[in-house]
Amino acid sequence: MNKKVNQKREAYAKKQEEQGKKIVAWIFGGLIALAIIYLIWTYSMMA
């Protein structure tokens, strides 16, 4: 019984880790996109 519980916990932890990596990638992607938009906006205000 204990082995089943450990296997479930390991599978859940692995799933959570994969989801966490996806979320971090989306956050960094969003920040980079916002930085590019801000750069374009700044240069358009200077011109």
Side-chain angles (χ1 to χ4, degrees):
M1 182 91 171
N2 198 11
K3 288 183 181 181
K4 286 184 180 180
V5 173
N6 284 339
Q7 288 176 345
K8 284 184 180 181
R9 284 185 184 171
E10 289 175 9
Y12 182 74
K14 185 178 179 182
K15 184 179 175 183
Q16 289 291 96
E17 183 180 354
E18 290 173 2
Q19 288 178 343
K21 286 180 181 180
K22 286 181 184 178
I23 291 172
V24 169
W26 274 100
I27 291 171
F28 277 115
L31 287 173
I32 290 169
L34 287 173
I36 291 170
I37 292 168
Y38 180 73
L39 267 164
I40 293 169
W41 179 74
T42 303
Y43 282 121
S44 69
M45 295 297 283
M46 293 177 128

